[in-house]
């Protein structure tokens, strides 16, 4: 694709990156076939190719309107299009650049701006989110389907006793929504000779605010997390950083890129990205004790963002579970961070389709790998939804 970026961005790092990505796109449209929003809406401007064209226009200085922003807002950033694209177009990175430009040029109305600001304020603050969730649960009967049910207790976290140690991301909303996930990961790894440790003060990975178009505030969260982890890394007390939520893992693995233009943090960010592993990359297969037919939902951040495919399915099968077939497994469930709150109709339709696919072969439960997908699916699923590590923890605890 030929480009002629406008003066305001041409010679900036963002402009150069966007230009290189745009030039790779040959406008073939293969990506549209796997785009969830194009499948739902059938509008070229809600396809990856259409959005790439909108971003190109914005970067070339053409007028941008509320309609431009709407088509970008409807994008889930699921990155299914990246997996499909034969030319290697990094749509996600281009969308980040395009959204920042459009956000600056087309201010949002007061209600929309207030909603986004409230989410950006409350979600990354673990204590505040936990308090709001507790309050919401008291009035859950008034808000059917909106407030997640109380989660099972975390259970014991093994004391660090092994020479091999790994840091684990505590995260922001996950400890309140599903405290058992990280504790289960700690127990499974402890049995395999690895102690999992949480660093004090390590909170949100920054993805929430970054993808709400508070990009600089999102980067502040990333820097704060690096600061919390750095003393442990510098002392050589952690051989890896483990992330149990694939959405957060996809972001932390990109810190090196996202902070590349920050001289104070770029080297630390690159080192942290290089050390980061999804939980499925460090858990080893164990005894085959599992039973039952289960469906696995592979989050977009795992299969498209981190390009990890088949690992968790294989761990579950080796543990004795039978995995049911899931049609259209490449499609998003509609959770996508705060998308389920900001685009409720599209999100709800995608969830209905995903649950139909997941439950078609009558599994006894659904396993997944990201807290956002887990709570989103759980709200409407007819069977329980768990993080996959919770299953292995239960199976292997003997
Ligand atoms: S992003 Fe890739 S698949 Fe989509 S139109 Fe461009 S080159 Fe084709
Ligand atoms: S990221 Fe997902 S929703 Fe957005 S254009 Fe690509 S495939 Fe479509």
């Amino acid at each position: 694709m030929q480009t002629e970026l406008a003066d305001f961005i041409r010679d900036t790092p963002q402009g150069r990156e966007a230009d290189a990505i745009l030039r790779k796109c040959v406008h073939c449209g293969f990506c549209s076939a796997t785009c969830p929003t194009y499948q739902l809406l059938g509008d070229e401007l809600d396809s990856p190719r259409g959005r790439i064209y909108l971003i190109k226009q914005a970067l070339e200085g053409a007028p941008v309107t509320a309609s431009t922003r709407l088509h970008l807002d409807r994008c889930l950033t699921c990155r299914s299009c990246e997996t499909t694209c034969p030319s290697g177009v990094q749509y996600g990175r281009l969308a980040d650049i395009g959204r920042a430009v459009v956000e600056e040029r087309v201010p949002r109305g007061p209600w929309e701006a207030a909603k986004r600001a409230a989410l950006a304020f409350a979600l990354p603050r673990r204590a505040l989110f936990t308090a709001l969730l507790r309050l919401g649960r008291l009035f859950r009967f008034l808000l059917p389907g909106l407030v997640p049910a109380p989660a099972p207790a975390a259970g014991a976290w093994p004391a660090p006793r092994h020479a091999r140690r790994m840091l684990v991301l505590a995260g922001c909303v996950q400890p309140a929504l599903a405290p058992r996930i990280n504790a289960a990961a700690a127990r499974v790894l402890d049995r395999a000779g690895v102690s999992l440790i949480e660093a004090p003060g390590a909170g949100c990975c920054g993805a929430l605010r970054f993808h709400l178009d508070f990009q600089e505030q999102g980067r502040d969260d990333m820097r704060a997390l690096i600061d919390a982890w750095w003393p442990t890394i510098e002392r050589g007390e952690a051989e890896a950083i483990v992330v149990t939520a694939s959405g957060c893992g996809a972001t932390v693995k990109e810190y090196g890129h996202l902070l590349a233009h920050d001289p104070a943090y770029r080297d630390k960010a690159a080192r942290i990205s290089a050390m980061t592993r999804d939980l499925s990359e460090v858990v080893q297969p164990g005894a085959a004790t599992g039973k039952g037919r289960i469906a696995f939902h592979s989050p977009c951040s795992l299969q498209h963002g981190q390009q990890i495919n088949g690992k968790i399915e294989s761990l579950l099968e080796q543990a004795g579970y039978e995995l049911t077939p899931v049609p259209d497994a490449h499609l998003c469930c509609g959770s996508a961070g705060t998308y389920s709150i900001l685009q409720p109709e599209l999100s709800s339709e995608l969830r209905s389709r995903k649950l139909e696919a997941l439950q078609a072969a009558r599994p006894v439960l659904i396993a997944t790998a990201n807290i956002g997908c887990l709570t989103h699916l759980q709200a409407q699923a007819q069977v329980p939804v768990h993080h996959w590590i919770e299953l292995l923890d239960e199976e292997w605890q003997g």
Side-chain angles (χ1 to χ4, degrees), residues 21-361:
I21 297 172
L22 285 167
R23 283 170 183 273
K24 278 189 181 175
C25 178
V26 295
H27 254 228
C28 62
F30 287 165
C31 49
S32 300
T34 59
C35 171
T37 56
Y38 183 66
Q39 286 193 3
L40 287 186
L41 300 163
D43 182 339
E44 171 72 9
L45 294 180
D46 287 309
S47 77
R49 185 170 62 177
R51 290 181 178 123
I52 288 170
Y53 194 66
L54 289 174
I55 294 168
K56 175 180 182 288
Q57 283 183 315
L59 302 184
E60 287 182 338
V64 288
T65 63
S67 162
T68 315
R69 201 186 52 212
L70 175 69
H71 294 296
L72 294 185
D73 281 352
R74 284 183 184 156
C75 170
L76 297 135
T77 326
C78 67
R79 295 168 65 185
S80 172
C81 46
E82 284 189 27
T83 300
T84 310
C85 175
S87 305
V89 171
Q90 291 171 298
Y91 170 85
R93 290 188 177 177
L94 182 67
D96 288 343
I97 297 167
R99 280 178 167 142
V101 169
V102 172
E103 197 67 22
E104 212 178 281
R105 288 220 226 136
V106 190
R108 294 182 186 272
W111 167 237
E112 184 64 20
K115 207 164 41 170
R116 285 173 169 260
L119 290 169
F121 184 80
L123 294 180
R125 292 176 165 81
R126 196 187 309 163
L128 175 61
F129 177 76
T130 305
L132 291 172
L133 184 66
R134 283 196 187 130
L135 191 66
R137 279 175 176 155
L138 287 179
F139 298 99
R140 198 162 168 258
F141 61 97
L142 295 173
L143 308 159
L146 280 182
V147 183
W157 189 300
R161 60 185 173 124
H162 300 294
R164 291 189 65 197
R165 290 186 180 198
M166 296 180 187
L167 276 166
V168 64
L169 173 65
C172 48
V173 299
Q174 183 171 297
L177 289 170
R180 198 167 64 159
I181 295 175
N182 274 11
R187 289 190 287 269
V188 168
L189 288 175
D190 180 71
R191 286 174 213 128
V194 176
S195 289
L196 213 51
I197 47 174
E198 282 182 352
C204 182
C205 69
L208 273 169
R209 296 210 280 180
F210 190 85
H211 292 301
L212 275 165
D213 290 319
F214 291 85
Q215 293 192 359
E216 260 325 293
Q217 291 89 332
R219 285 194 175 91
D220 288 343
D221 292 338
M222 296 171 199
R223 293 182 192 102
L225 184 52
I226 292 173
D227 287 343
W229 277 337
W230 199 249
T232 308
I233 292 169
E234 239 186 346
R235 291 195 299 268
E237 291 173 0
E239 64 181 85
I241 296 168
V242 177
V243 186
T244 57
S246 59
C248 309
T251 299
V252 180
K253 284 183 176 182
E254 299 229 324
Y255 274 14
H257 169 74
L258 292 164
L259 294 172
H261 306 297
D262 179 338
Y265 278 85
R266 67 177 161 225
D267 294 340
K268 292 178 183 178
R271 181 149 167 219
I272 279 177
S273 289
M275 289 177 73
T276 299
R277 304 281 180 273
D278 180 73
L279 180 61
S280 60
E281 296 178 289
V282 295
V283 169
Q284 297 301 316
T289 58
K291 41 212 161 293
R293 285 158 57 77
I294 65 171
F296 179 65
H297 165 59
S298 180
C300 301
S301 45
L302 187 77
Q303 58 171 317
H304 305 305
Q306 299 190 51
Q307 293 287 323
I308 296 175
N309 287 290
K311 254 186 190 303
I312 296 171
E313 292 90 325
S314 162
L315 284 167
L316 289 168
E317 278 174 344
Q318 288 176 65
Y321 288 100
E322 183 190 341
L323 293 193
T324 59
V326 180
D328 293 328
H330 61 283
L331 289 179
C332 182
C333 68
S335 169
T338 53
Y339 191 91
S340 55
I341 300 168
L342 298 170
Q343 300 289 336
E345 289 88 13
L346 291 175
S347 166
S348 170
E349 178 57 29
L350 288 170
R351 175 170 58 192
S352 300
R353 292 182 182 204
K354 179 56 74 180
L355 283 174
E356 203 181 314
L358 286 165
Q359 294 174 155

